Amino acid sequence: MDNLSLETNIDRRQLRTLDRPKKLKILVVDDEPDNLDLLYRTFRRDFQVLKADSGMNALQMLAAEGEVAVIISDQRMPEMKGTEFLSKTVPQFPDTVRIILTGFTDIEDLVEAINAGQVYKYITKPWDPGELKAVVQRAAETYDLLKQRTEELRCANAQMALLTVLVEVTQAANSLEEILIPIATAFSQSFGSDACILQLIENNTLVATQGSYCEGGTVENWLAQDPLTNEAIATGNIQVSLNILKDPKLSSVSHYQNSGIQAHLIIPITYRNKAMGVLSLQWKQPHTLRDDELKLINLSAQLVAIALTSSFYHQTQM
């Protein structure tokens, strides 16, 4: 059999469970306690709602909590107007959708804020709860779309970078040592993993030759004692656990507990049914994998096999 082979062995039920959307976070800001409580009650069923009673407190909350999907802010607040507060959130959180609650007398400020792209919509007081909920739902959908497009662009760029690296090392593979680390680095950065190890195999046994990448420093290699790795080598199939803590076969394995790894993907690298190595992608949080990522993994593993085969050939000719 001349073609490269890589089969997948992934529990689709696990993928569906992890892909289940969580409640989006929104932030409501108003200096009047009654209004703040009303906004909280209006949206708590559909969203994870954060509250702040001033622009300054809201900025501190965003610094602690990170990005939210939607901000709903009153315009007339002491010390800092709503439009001023919202303008301060734009540089760090450009995708967040901003809504202002206002009286008719503040239109001039709003026009300026809207023209500057700082406000998505304004709602006049007293607001209609149904109208406000509809506006916020559309705002959340807008945020989701922005994040999806941003993520698709990031993935496309990362995937192109990965394929470029793999093609380059395939064409210039003179020694194993000089290609393993670049390949591990490219995979880790493309799939956003916390660590990546590419380790070679001889006679279905891991050998010392390896390349690794970890953004935060060195990588502890426990693959020889890992159940997923052993299964991948034995079967020639991808092995994955996307949530180690909920995996009864792995949750008690000591090296997962000690390393903090919560998701692990092992990709066997084979050429003409011969095992050449394994690629380990590790995350410190439960992870998800899309179909396009699985297809890219399949293609990339084939290119890695070509690179390794080419390197072996060059070494035997020297």
Side-chain angles (χ1 to χ4, degrees):
M1 181 175 175
D2 292 336
N3 64 313
L4 305 172
S5 63
L6 180 68
E7 300 297 332
T8 60
N9 182 18
I10 294 179
D11 189 341
R12 294 287 175 174
R13 292 172 298 177
Q14 187 179 21
L15 288 176
R16 287 195 295 269
T17 299
L18 288 176
D19 280 334
R20 186 176 297 152
K22 298 178 181 178
K23 284 185 178 181
L24 291 175
K25 285 195 294 187
I26 69 172
L27 171 62
V28 294
V29 188
D30 200 310
D31 63 303
E32 297 182 17
D34 289 344
N35 285 343
L36 198 60
D37 289 340
L38 177 57
L39 289 169
Y40 175 81
R41 292 195 303 272
T42 300
F43 296 108
R44 65 181 178 180
R45 288 182 180 271
D46 300 317
F47 301 96
Q48 180 184 344
V49 185
L50 308 176
K51 298 190 297 182
D53 59 7
S54 70
M56 188 59 66
N57 288 340
L59 290 173
Q60 293 173 354
M61 180 166 290
L62 287 172
E65 295 285 341
E67 184 173 274
V68 298
V70 182
I71 299 175
I72 309 167
S73 175
D74 186 34
Q75 168 65 356
R76 289 206 169 187
M77 296 184 293
E79 299 181 3
M80 187 185 300
K81 289 183 178 180
T83 48
E84 181 185 356
F85 153 64
L86 292 178
S87 69
K88 294 179 182 296
T89 68
V90 173
Q92 188 174 0
F93 306 112
D95 292 335
T96 294
V97 183
R98 299 160 183 84
I99 297 171
I100 201 92
L101 303 175
T102 182
F104 286 106
T105 57
D106 301 314
I107 296 301
E108 186 174 338
D109 288 339
L110 291 178
V111 170
E112 181 179 348
I114 291 171
N115 289 339
Q118 298 163 355
V119 173
Y120 165 80
K121 186 84 172 179
Y122 72 88
I123 301 292
T124 55
K125 293 181 176 180
W127 67 82
D128 175 79
E131 178 189 0
L132 182 58
K133 290 184 74 171
V135 169
V136 171
Q137 187 59 49
R138 289 196 298 271
E141 292 169 358
T142 298
Y143 171 83
D144 267 340
L145 182 60
L146 285 171
K147 297 305 290 185
Q148 179 182 341
R149 289 179 176 175
T150 299
E151 180 63 15
E152 287 173 351
L153 180 60
R154 185 200 67 78
C155 289
N157 290 336
Q159 291 168 6
M160 183 61 67
L162 171 61
L163 294 177
T164 299
V165 169
L166 294 178
V167 169
E168 288 175 352
V169 299
T170 300
Q171 294 173 339
N174 294 319
S175 70
L176 285 173
E177 289 73 15
E178 70 182 30
I179 70 171
L180 296 181
I181 292 178
I183 291 175
T185 301
F187 265 90
S188 185
Q189 293 177 346
S190 179
F191 295 103
S193 69
D194 293 292
C196 180
I197 300 171
L198 175 56
Q199 188 166 0
L200 300 189
I201 293 174
E202 292 181 7
N203 299 320
N204 286 330
T205 302
L206 290 169
V207 297
T209 308
Q210 62 179 284
S212 63
Y213 173 81
C214 177
E215 186 176 5
T218 59
V219 182
E220 180 186 0
N221 189 336
W222 31 253
L223 296 184
Q225 292 79 44
D226 183 58
L228 285 183
T229 304
N230 295 332
E231 185 70 14
I233 294 173
T235 64
N237 296 334
I238 287 179
Q239 300 296 317
V240 63
S241 180
L242 300 178
N243 194 336
I244 300 291
L245 296 178
K246 294 184 178 180
D247 189 331
K249 296 181 180 179
L250 300 177
S251 59
S252 61
V253 175
S254 61
H255 56 252
Y256 285 114
Q257 296 176 344
N258 296 334
S259 65
I261 297 301
Q262 295 189 35
H264 191 197
L265 175 69
I266 283 284
I267 309 155
I269 308 299
T270 61
Y271 181 68
R272 295 185 178 179
N273 289 333
K274 178 183 178 181
M276 305 183 67
V278 292
L279 187 78
S280 165
L281 287 168
Q282 305 168 16
W283 295 267
K284 291 189 175 181
Q285 296 293 333
H287 193 63
T288 60
L289 287 167
R290 303 187 308 273
D291 285 340
D292 64 309
E293 290 179 309
L294 293 175
K295 291 177 182 177
L296 179 64
I297 287 170
N298 182 58
L299 172 61
S300 301
Q302 295 179 29
L303 291 174
V304 172
I306 293 173
L308 295 180
T309 302
S310 177
S311 181
F312 280 132
Y313 175 78
H314 282 294
Q315 287 191 340
T316 58
Q317 297 303 307
M318 292 176 63

